[in-house]
Amino acid sequence: MTGAFYIGTLINGGAILLGAGIGALRKTPMAADNQTFLKVILGAATVFIGLKLTVTSISGPLKAALIQLGLVLLAMTLGKLTGKLLHLQKLSNRLGQYARQRILAVPAGQRGSPADGVNVCAALFCAAPLGILGATAEALDGGPFALLVKAAMDGFAVFGFVSLFGWAVGFSALPVLAFQGFISLLVGHLAQPWLEAHQLVASVNATAGLLIFCVSLLIFEVKRIEVADYLPSLIWAPLLTYWLR
């Protein structure tokens, strides 16, 4: 196991620092047209990355591929039920509500506490399911592409937060690096050997790909999907494949 699976996380942290630096130098916000264009580009990239990861992870004859896809959908169903029991989406929503409250607490025309800014950004960036999905996929050789999309999102988001909390929001890169790095370590060093030994890596990547695609629906505001509740699907997918094989 090499350190290659840290690339996406490192770029994510670098994008946050870059966004904070640009935000400190540039005083005018991004134009609305540019924001919309960026949203479309990132959404389209998320669709492509998610579906590509799923398609390339499902192999074999048509019958075998359909069985694999069926197991992924079953894993997502069980994952959703598990996530509901664990209140994962509610936890994610609470972090989002905390961030929203701290943002609204900033007096008009003034800047909020730098510590609040770091906490707000860290809560938003670490609560994003794309970070967990991307770190998992990268650790399992699915590539850093999902994290590159998240890096762009976080970088542009922190650019906007500079006007509210100052350049110190760039320090939110540290908890993001620690959180996503921990996931990569956990998956890459503990889970991957067992998954590879039983040829189960593809089942995890196929499931992660569909969940990444679900994130694109949130970006385009097509459907409000509680992606955090589906995260246990990443555990159910290899277990179901192992048990039913």
Side-chain angles (χ1 to χ4, degrees), residues 92-115:
S92 178
N93 291 344
R94 279 199 293 269
L95 290 173
Q97 290 167 4
Y98 162 78
R100 193 176 302 112
Q101 290 169 357
R102 301 317 303 164
I103 292 170
L104 294 176
V106 178
Q110 299 182 33
R111 281 189 172 178
S113 163

Side-chain angles (χ1 to χ4, degrees), residues 11-245:
I11 293 176
N12 197 165
I16 293 173
L17 292 173
L18 180 62
I22 295 175
L25 295 174
R26 179 175 175 174
K27 304 304 180 184
T28 56
M30 184 183 296
D33 290 345
N34 292 337
Q35 293 182 28
T36 302
F37 176 74
L38 176 65
K39 180 179 178 180
V40 171
I41 293 297
L42 292 177
T46 308
V47 170
F48 176 77
I49 291 166
L51 293 182
K52 182 176 183 295
L53 183 58
T54 296
V55 170
T56 55
S57 299
I58 294 178
S59 59
L62 178 60
K63 181 179 179 181
L66 290 176
I67 291 174
Q68 293 174 56
L69 181 59
L71 287 175
V72 168
L73 296 177
L74 178 58
M76 291 180 66
T77 301
L78 293 175
K80 172 68 171 178
L81 294 174
T82 306
K84 279 285 188 183
L85 291 174
L86 297 176
H87 304 293
L88 296 183
Q89 188 63 48
K90 289 183 178 180
L91 175 60
S92 178
N93 291 344
R94 279 199 293 269
L95 290 173
Q97 290 167 4
Y98 162 78
R100 193 176 302 112
Q101 290 169 357
R102 301 317 303 164
I103 292 170
L104 294 176
V106 178
Q110 299 182 33
R111 281 189 172 178
S113 163
D116 280 346
V118 174
N119 291 335
V120 164
C121 291
L124 292 176
F125 300 159
C126 291
L130 194 57
I132 297 175
L133 296 170
T136 299
E138 184 176 31
L140 296 178
D141 298 323
F145 309 108
L147 288 182
L148 298 184
V149 171
K150 182 176 181 291
M153 292 178 178
D154 293 352
F156 282 102
V158 83
F159 168 82
F161 283 126
V162 169
S163 61
L164 283 175
F165 299 103
W167 60 267
V169 292
F171 286 112
S172 61
L174 296 177
V176 171
L177 289 170
F179 179 65
Q180 293 175 190
F182 172 75
I183 294 172
S184 291
L185 278 173
L186 188 66
V187 174
H189 286 278
L190 295 182
Q192 187 176 29
W194 183 80
L195 293 172
E196 287 184 340
H198 298 282
Q199 299 179 336
L200 298 171
V201 171
S203 65
V204 180
N205 280 336
T207 306
L210 278 185
L211 293 180
I212 291 170
F213 170 75
C214 290
V215 173
S216 71
L217 300 181
L218 292 176
I219 296 174
F220 286 128
E221 299 179 3
V222 174
K223 184 175 178 60
R224 184 173 180 81
I225 299 177
E226 297 177 331
V227 180
D229 276 345
Y230 283 96
L231 292 177
S233 306
L234 300 175
I235 298 174
W236 277 110
L239 292 179
L240 286 172
T241 304
Y242 180 75
W243 290 334
L244 301 178
R245 181 178 289 166

